[in-house]
Amino acid sequence: MYIVEQHIGNEVCIAVKGHWHLIAISYLAVSLTTSYYLLLFYCLFIIWLYQKRRLLKLQLLFILSTLVIFFIVGDEQSPATSKFESLQSTEITGKIVSSVTNTKNKVEFKMIEDKSNQKTLVTLFKNPNDQYNYTDLNVNLGASCKVFGEREYPPQSKNPGQFDYQKYLKQNGVNFIITINNPENLKCFGSSKLNSVHMLRDKLLSDPVQRLSSFTSGWLRALVLGDDGGISLESEEIFQRWSLSHLLAISGLHVGLIVGIIYFILVKFQLLTKEKAQGLLIILLPIYAILAGGAPSVWRSSLMTVAFLLLIKLKSRLSVTDVISFVFLVFVIYDANILYQLGFQFSFIVTFGLLISRNILAQPYPKWFTIFFISVISQLSILPLQINQFYFFNPMSIFINLLYVPYFSLIVIPLMFFTFLSLYLMPPVAFVLDWIFISIHQPALKLLSIVDHFLYYPLVIGKTEVFYWLIYYLLFYLLMKHIQQKQQNQALKYGGVLIFLLLFLTVKPYLNPYGTVTMLDIGQGDSFIIELPYRKSIIFIDAAGTVSTDFVTPSDKIFKQVIKPYLYSRGILKIDSIVLTHNDHDHVGSVPFIVDQFRVDQLVISRYFQFTDSMASMLAQNNTSIQTVEAGDRIKIDKQTIQVLFPKDDKGATNENSLVLYSEIGGIRWLFTGDINSEIENEMIRTYPEIGIDVLKVAHHGSNTSTSEEFLSHTQPRFAWISVGENNRYGHPNQEVIERLEKYNIVIMRTDEKGAIQYKFKGQGGTFHSFLP
């Protein structure tokens, strides 16, 4: 019996050897299948391999069996989302299962609850005026804690393109959040044996801050210890725009350099034999992965290096593809949610992309060409993920990577590593290296900032269906295959088709016969975006913003979190017109940021709208024309006409001077009312005795100062759009207004309840949709 089992086991090992990547792809196909396109595509691929006699019967049976198992298990493990709601305030006990974030503003950690076995994110915000000693909290990895607070589901995205915090936490295994402001509501005791490693990490993070310049310590902490909190937000944004973010996260590049340096020192100076040096690295790499923050890219590169070192010791002949596939399966079987983390996806896909191109890279090309080719392959490998996440691609980033990847590989990362070692071995040398790093790296960042200012022209593609990315990866594989086989004509053909696909996705909105009218959920304010069919025009009506904590300085929060992501998700870079009803911040606050980052042809305002000098200067610098209108004027944008109904004269107040706009869009009549009151509504009744509408933008966010019964009776709308903040301090929309709307059987659509509201039309008909169910 044992011999039979051993024989079967050997047969299975033979069947799997060389095909572990198919097992890994099986799991991937199941886990990422939101439709059945990917699964069907993969099954056809396996059958094709079998027909081409590249798979044996036993191999085919094993892979298909694995696919079925992963389908059953993966369906249970795939993350789900939950509707936002508050749960009852309660006392919760559990154990801390993550490293603890302890900054000047907050203490944050993840814990597993004792009763439900659910993972919860606990955040304690510090009071700057509080004299409490937060080190007394005893918040450590493995500690048992008792938390008194309000247990909630994380808030979810309420607009297309907006970052979904609930989905993000769910993909990291977190089901609930608890926010507390009083340290007395958090009691912890004990710790795990692994906590000593985390305490060592905290010390290693604090030492550079105390002994080096803030500039150098920030970069050292990021590139050696995986904590990017010391790098400026401006630098992070520029690196993201130029697809250089992989240099800020510890990955195979960093681990490979560090391993190479340590191995060279140990062997070259005869401190250890090759075999003992390899054994020491096998022990040290998992410890380093923890000290470096335990990010997926760190673990992936560390475990792969450990695997290869073990294979060398065991004299095994497993292929590189088998090793990375096996490491991938170890990760996802240990924690299925890790598959949805962007860093994990980037790390493995770039590695696979380089693997399928390894024969090309092994050719005796000049080093500059090899580096360039690696940059191109890396960028093409993650392009679908990047566009799916950020909606844009910067073609020039390939050349910037060609410059900055070698710079980081040969100068920055080794310099940071030697500076780190010098802190403990030769402190005076660390100070010299600190000065050298500042002298070199600040000009390098300045150069990148200049390039960003003059040469940043992103290709904004927008949200794209998974079907197109399946075609993309098939073309990419065929392109690499024919380059590898030196079939230049075939490679050029597939490369051309690949470029055509990207160009098609870029111009796809201009082929779309559908138009939309969207009311974004920006809280207590107004932002409406009209997109005409075939992308003939993009029209804004108001663009709300917020102010900073000083209640004076404009904040880009709404622009960055809602408006810009929405425009990028739609593939929009140019705005034909922004019509501003009046000059209140909850209607115009994001305009400076839109004008600064998007091409805006025209701004339309009332003759009673008063500009600030800074806004007028910005508009002039960006060549945005200004059109002033009043009652009776018509705003003509392409073939779309918007009639201005009010104001006729100066009412002496911003709300009462709001532009009132009427237009027919998608076969129905729209009325945008700004923040007018009932007196203006009565004047409108007298001035326009026969006006009728289908959609009413309810004035002043549902305040009781407007939307009178007489006005509703006169205009007879069928739908009412209310842009209003959730649980706002004004009590909008007023209950009396809601009752009046219901009395006239008007369908009410509110952003605080349903998120963004959209009317999608084609020709003279369309349908209404809400972002939330």
Side-chain angles (χ1 to χ4, degrees):
M1 183 67 179
Y2 172 76
I3 295 174
V4 173
E5 288 178 351
Q6 188 180 44
H7 174 73
I8 294 173
N10 290 336
E11 287 293 323
V12 170
C13 289
I14 293 171
V16 178
K17 187 175 180 180
H19 293 90
W20 275 103
H21 62 286
L22 295 178
I23 309 299
I25 296 173
S26 295
Y27 188 96
L28 190 67
V30 168
S31 300
L32 298 183
T33 299
T34 52
S35 66
Y36 286 98
Y37 282 127
L38 185 58
L39 203 56
L40 177 62
F41 179 83
Y42 176 69
C43 290
L44 292 175
F45 173 67
I46 293 297
I47 294 171
W48 176 79
L49 286 178
Y50 177 69
Q51 289 181 338
K52 292 289 183 179
R53 297 185 179 180
R54 298 184 183 183
L55 287 178
L56 303 174
K57 286 184 179 181
L58 184 58
Q59 293 170 336
L60 178 67
L61 178 63
F62 187 86
I63 290 168
L64 291 180
S65 300
T66 306
L67 184 67
V68 173
I69 294 170
F70 283 154
F71 187 83
I72 296 170
V73 177
D75 186 58
E76 297 173 355
Q77 294 180 329
S78 60
T81 56
S82 306
K83 185 178 178 181
F84 173 82
E85 61 176 289
S86 293
L87 303 178
Q88 187 176 2
S89 180
T90 183
E91 173 189 318
I92 299 170
T93 60
K95 182 172 288 188
I96 298 178
V97 293
S98 71
S99 57
V100 178
T101 301
N102 194 342
T103 67
K104 63 179 181 179
N105 298 317
K106 67 179 182 179
V107 176
E108 190 170 76
F109 57 86
K110 298 171 187 174
M111 75 174 194
I112 295 288
E113 297 180 18
D114 291 335
K115 291 183 179 179
S116 63
N117 203 35
Q118 300 275 8
K119 188 179 289 186
T120 298
L121 179 68
V122 179
T123 305
L124 167 63
F125 286 103
K126 298 178 180 179
N127 185 346
N129 301 319
D130 193 353
Q131 300 301 315
Y132 186 85
N133 185 6
Y134 286 91
T135 57
D136 294 338
L137 287 172
N138 193 40
V139 180
N140 300 308
L141 176 67
S144 297
C145 293
K146 184 182 294 184
V147 183
F148 301 88
E150 188 172 328
R151 190 167 175 260
E152 299 177 324
Y153 289 117
Q156 61 190 137
S157 166
K158 300 180 74 176
N159 294 279
Q162 185 180 2
F163 174 71
D164 194 330
Y165 185 58
Q166 182 183 102
K167 183 179 179 181
Y168 167 77
L169 288 181
K170 191 69 179 178
Q171 290 175 351
N172 283 273
V174 176
N175 301 285
F176 306 104
I177 59 174
I178 298 177
T179 303
I180 51 181
N181 296 298
N182 186 349
E184 297 297 331
N185 290 334
L186 177 61
K187 306 293 183 183
C188 298
F189 60 91
S191 63
S192 71
K193 294 180 180 179
L194 198 59
N195 185 60
S196 57
V197 180
H198 285 264
M199 291 179 67
L200 175 60
R201 169 176 163 77
D202 291 340
K203 184 181 186 309
L204 295 177
L205 286 171
S206 64
D207 285 347
V209 176
Q210 296 172 2
R211 299 159 67 179
L212 298 173
S213 67
S214 60
F215 179 79
T216 301
S217 67
W219 283 93
L220 187 150
R221 283 157 53 109
L223 299 178
V224 178
L225 297 170
D227 180 7
D228 61 1
I231 297 178
S232 69
L233 182 61
E234 179 185 2
S235 294
E236 287 188 350
E237 290 178 346
I238 290 177
F239 272 63
Q240 184 187 97
R241 288 198 291 270
W242 288 93
S243 300
L244 294 170
S245 296
H246 61 95
L247 296 176
L248 302 182
I250 297 177
S251 61
L253 171 65
H254 304 69
V255 173
L257 285 171
I258 292 173
V259 168
I261 291 171
I262 294 176
Y263 187 77
F264 175 81
I265 292 173
L266 292 175
V267 176
K268 189 70 175 177
F269 292 96
Q270 298 182 348
L271 300 175
L272 292 175
T273 63
K274 290 183 179 180
E275 292 75 15
K276 290 183 177 180
Q278 292 169 1
L280 181 62
L281 286 172
I282 291 172
I283 297 171
L284 290 180
L285 279 172
I287 298 174
Y288 173 70
I290 299 173
L291 292 176
S297 57
V298 186
W299 275 114
R300 192 270 308 162
S301 50
S302 297
L303 289 182
M304 275 196 64
T305 306
V306 168
F308 282 120
L309 291 173
L310 285 172
L311 290 175
I312 292 173
K313 282 186 168 295
L314 298 173
K315 298 180 180 180
S316 176
R317 295 183 179 180
L318 274 180
S319 68
V320 177
T321 308
D322 276 351
V323 172
I324 189 174
S325 300
F326 187 76
V327 172
F328 171 86
L329 288 168
V330 168
F331 271 109
V332 295
I333 291 173
Y334 174 75
D335 180 8
N337 291 313
I338 201 172
L339 187 62
Y340 301 91
Q341 296 181 21
L342 193 61
F344 178 83
Q345 297 170 5
F346 276 16
S347 179
F348 273 93
I349 288 183
V350 168
T351 305
F352 268 116
L354 294 175
L355 279 177
I356 65 173
S357 313
R358 60 186 181 275
N359 290 341
I360 306 172
L361 299 175
Q363 298 297 318
Y365 296 122
K367 286 188 177 180
W368 68 266
F369 181 80
T370 302
I371 294 172
F372 173 74
F373 202 76
I374 289 173
S375 177
V376 171
I377 293 171
S378 301
Q379 293 294 312
L380 290 177
S381 298
I382 64 172
L383 183 60
L385 291 178
Q386 181 177 344
I387 293 175
N388 186 61
Q389 184 74 17
F390 306 112
Y391 309 116
F392 76 93
F393 169 63
N394 183 4
M396 286 290 292
S397 64
I398 293 175
F399 300 98
I400 294 299
N401 269 266
L402 180 63
L403 177 64
Y404 276 84
V405 168
Y407 165 65
F408 267 76
S409 304
L410 301 177
I411 298 176
V412 176
I413 297 174
L415 190 55
M416 286 294 89
F417 182 71
F418 283 120
T419 303
F420 176 71
L421 291 180
S422 300
L423 275 176
Y424 303 98
L425 302 178
M426 297 174 289
V429 175
F431 301 138
V432 176
L433 294 177
D434 185 356
W435 176 82
I436 293 174
F437 179 72
I438 293 173
S439 303
I440 295 173
H441 200 53
Q442 283 186 344
L445 294 180
K446 181 64 176 178
L447 175 62
L448 183 59
S449 180
I450 293 171
V451 171
D452 180 67
H453 180 74
F454 289 102
L455 297 178
Y456 180 63
Y457 295 103
L459 196 64
V460 178
I461 293 179
K463 188 174 182 180
T464 304
E465 296 85 351
V466 67
F467 172 75
Y468 292 107
W469 296 133
L470 293 177
I471 297 175
Y472 173 91
Y473 275 120
L474 176 61
L475 292 171
F476 177 62
Y477 169 78
L478 293 172
L479 171 64
M480 292 297 102
K481 175 186 174 183
H482 289 295
I483 291 177
Q484 196 163 269
Q485 295 175 350
K486 297 183 179 181
Q487 298 174 344
Q488 296 180 353
N489 291 335
Q490 291 293 323
L492 284 173
K493 181 176 72 173
Y494 287 111
V497 176
L498 193 65
I499 293 173
F500 175 80
L501 175 64
L502 293 175
L503 292 175
F504 169 75
L505 294 176
T506 305
V507 303
K508 188 167 166 273
Y510 297 90
L511 307 174
N512 186 2
Y514 288 91
T516 59
V517 182
T518 304
M519 175 172 61
L520 293 177
D521 178 11
I522 45 77
Q524 192 70 9
D526 280 3
S527 286
F528 300 88
I529 302 175
I530 302 169
E531 302 172 55
L532 298 184
Y534 301 105
R535 191 53 60 80
K536 290 184 177 179
S537 292
I538 305 295
I539 306 165
F540 263 79
I541 297 179
D542 287 336
T546 56
V547 291
S548 301
T549 52
D550 60 6
F551 300 103
V552 176
T553 308
S555 167
D556 61 359
K557 179 180 178 181
I558 292 297
F559 170 73
K560 280 189 172 182
Q561 294 185 358
V562 180
I563 295 176
K564 182 179 178 179
Y566 174 80
L567 294 175
Y568 267 37
S569 73
R570 303 289 296 176
I572 296 171
L573 267 180
K574 175 181 173 292
I575 298 163
D576 296 272
S577 186
I578 300 179
V579 184
L580 301 178
T581 58
H582 62 295
N583 194 20
D584 280 351
H585 205 79
D586 62 338
H587 291 254
V588 304
S590 289
V591 171
F593 308 108
I594 296 174
V595 172
D596 183 54
Q597 296 196 29
F598 292 82
R599 176 184 163 187
V600 179
D601 289 345
Q602 174 185 253
L603 195 74
V604 180
I605 56 173
S606 161
R607 61 182 297 185
Y608 310 112
F609 187 103
Q610 295 185 352
F611 272 117
T612 61
D613 293 338
S614 59
M615 183 181 287
S617 175
M618 174 173 284
L619 293 171
Q621 290 176 7
N622 290 278
N623 299 317
T624 300
S625 65
I626 302 173
Q627 180 182 354
T628 304
V629 296
E630 59 182 345
D633 289 340
R634 291 173 179 264
I635 304 168
K636 189 78 171 177
I637 305 167
D638 192 62
K639 294 183 180 181
Q640 186 65 42
T641 299
I642 301 175
Q643 294 178 254
V644 181
L645 304 186
F646 274 90
K648 293 189 296 184
D649 48 42
D650 189 357
K651 301 297 182 182
T654 56
N655 284 351
E656 284 69 33
N657 279 334
S658 293
L659 286 176
V660 178
L661 309 168
Y662 172 89
S663 186
E664 293 189 13
I665 309 169
I668 58 178
R669 301 159 299 173
W670 299 74
L671 189 68
F672 299 91
T673 57
D675 281 354
I676 63 172
N677 60 21
S678 56
E679 292 182 9
I680 303 300
E681 291 176 348
N682 291 334
E683 193 173 341
M684 185 181 298
I685 293 171
R686 295 192 297 270
T687 308
Y688 304 98
E690 296 183 356
I691 190 172
I693 61 175
D694 297 295
V695 182
L696 169 68
K697 198 291 290 190
V698 174
H700 207 176
H701 322 292
S703 168
N704 199 31
T705 59
S706 54
T707 319
S708 65
E709 188 164 342
E710 294 79 11
F711 184 67
L712 294 176
S713 177
H714 181 75
T715 56
Q716 296 184 338
R718 294 185 293 139
F719 304 93
W721 279 20
I722 307 178
S723 184
V724 61
E726 187 175 9
N727 300 321
N728 65 87
R729 60 193 177 101
Y730 306 101
H732 294 163
N734 187 276
Q735 186 57 35
E736 292 182 15
V737 172
I738 297 297
E739 291 173 359
R740 286 199 289 268
L741 293 170
E742 291 174 344
K743 177 180 177 180
Y744 285 88
N745 296 318
I746 300 170
V747 178
I748 302 171
M749 300 178 181
R750 300 166 47 171
T751 56
D752 61 333
E753 293 181 346
K754 295 294 185 180
I757 309 294
Q758 190 171 80
Y759 174 70
K760 185 176 181 180
F761 63 91
K762 180 180 180 182
Q764 296 301 303
T767 55
F768 290 90
H769 306 275
S770 63
F771 186 72
L772 298 181

